[in-house]
Amino acid sequence: MDVNTSVTPSLHPGNITGLDGYDETTADAVADVVSAFETAYEGLTNIHLARQAAKQNPALTEAAQILVVADYAEKHFKKITARLDAAEARMQKLIADSERQLSQPLENGAVGGYTAEIRAHMKGLKQAERVAFMNEAIRAGDSKTLSAVLGAPSFLSGISPAERDMLTRTFHERANPTLAKRLTLMKTAQSLLGERGGLVFGEMDKASGASSKQVANLRAARAKAEKAYTFTA
């Protein structure tokens, strides 16, 4: 999308497509945020153009120009805020689903075979040795060892519930690096959405050339004046 110096660069969609981790494998994960930024940036650009066009209309007073542009801007504002809200809702859903996938317990394989022996061995190790043992199992993708330890109550292996959750998360991230990469990107995009979405309000006033209060006062004055020449049969 072209750059318009009249609009804050903070709302340009390039802020999302330029994030670390954005590529063909992750683009769809933040497509709604990119679309919301595009809608905001394009809408604000169009309002600036409408304001310039209104200035060239000799039939419009300065107040009339403000009202014409404000009416036009209001339509864009509704579309922009709807897209921003939809993108936020979508990010919340996708992030929650990804978090669930990367945190689900490894319950299958926690019984039978040598699982009890594996947990007993783990419990007999020192803390540093347990960490090294599990990190090596994760690196090697040793699902039998990981399921035996992480799929059972943590105390059976001598680790805390927090340690089990952390190791489970590490295992899932190593097993599914693309999902982990997408989640990181979505969280960053969601953060930018939250930080910059509010800029739209000030940018709307700037593009329209008047504050919402000024527009409200002009609309009230217009309505009052129109009553004086409203024809009633």
Side-chain angles (χ1 to χ4, degrees), residues 10 12 19 24 28-29 36 46 53 70 76 84 90 95 97 104 118 132 134 145 151 157 162 164-165 179 201-202 217:
S10 295
H12 194 281
L19 289 173
E24 65 278 1
D28 63 304
N46 287 336
H76 277 287
L84 291 172
R90 179 67 171 165
I95 289 172
D97 185 59
Q104 58 186 349
I118 292 172
M134 290 302 291
T145 294
S157 301
R164 183 189 61 183
D165 292 346
L179 179 59
F201 295 94
N217 289 338

Side-chain angles (χ1 to χ4, degrees), residues 43-65:
L44 290 167
T45 295
N46 287 336
I47 296 167
H48 276 286
L49 292 174
R51 183 184 173 196
Q52 292 302 315
K55 287 182 178 180
Q56 304 305 313
N57 188 341
L60 297 177
T61 64
E62 183 177 347
Q65 291 173 20

Side-chain angles (χ1 to χ4, degrees), residues 2 8 25 73 91 98 101 111 121 156 173 204 215:
D2 293 337
T8 175
T25 67
M91 284 299 97
S98 297
Q101 293 182 59
V111 296
H121 172 73
L156 293 177
E173 289 179 348
M204 291 292 292
V215 172

Side-chain angles (χ1 to χ4, degrees), residues 18-198:
L19 289 173
D20 287 342
Y22 183 92
D23 56 35
E24 65 278 1
T25 67
T26 59
D28 63 304
V30 294
D32 290 273
V33 181
V34 173
S35 177
F37 272 57
E38 287 176 343
T39 299
Y41 201 84
E42 183 178 8
L44 290 167
T45 295
N46 287 336
I47 296 167
H48 276 286
L49 292 174
R51 183 184 173 196
Q52 292 302 315
K55 287 182 178 180
Q56 304 305 313
N57 188 341
L60 297 177
T61 64
E62 183 177 347
Q65 291 173 20
I66 291 175
L67 290 174
V68 166
V69 176
D71 290 342
Y72 177 77
E74 193 170 279
K75 297 176 182 178
H76 277 287
F77 181 72
K78 291 179 179 178
K79 183 178 180 180
I80 291 169
T81 53
R83 284 291 179 87
L84 291 172
D85 289 344
E88 173 60 29
R90 179 67 171 165
M91 284 299 97
Q92 288 183 11
K93 182 179 182 300
L94 291 177
I95 289 172
D97 185 59
S98 297
E99 289 282 7
R100 179 188 58 76
Q101 293 182 59
L102 292 173
S103 302
Q104 58 186 349
L106 300 178
E107 297 178 349
N108 294 331
V111 296
Y114 296 97
T115 55
E117 288 85 346
I118 292 172
R119 288 191 290 269
H121 172 73
M122 176 76 168
K123 194 171 186 178
L125 298 174
K126 294 180 180 179
Q127 175 63 22
E129 293 173 332
R130 289 191 195 113
V131 173
F133 179 75
M134 290 302 291
N135 284 338
E136 175 57 27
I138 291 173
R139 186 197 65 76
D142 185 350
S143 59
K144 187 174 183 62
T145 294
L146 293 166
S147 295
V149 175
L150 302 177
S154 56
F155 66 86
L156 293 177
S157 301
I159 59 177
S160 68
E163 288 173 321
R164 183 189 61 183
D165 292 346
M166 179 188 69
L167 289 166
T168 298
R169 178 61 173 255
T170 302
F171 166 74
H172 284 307
E173 289 179 348
R174 289 290 296 271
N176 196 341
T178 299
L179 179 59
K181 181 180 177 181
R182 287 164 66 89
L183 177 58
T184 298
L185 177 63
M186 286 190 290
K187 285 183 173 180
T188 304
Q190 183 189 45
S191 179
L192 283 177
L193 185 65
E195 292 172 4
R196 302 184 181 183

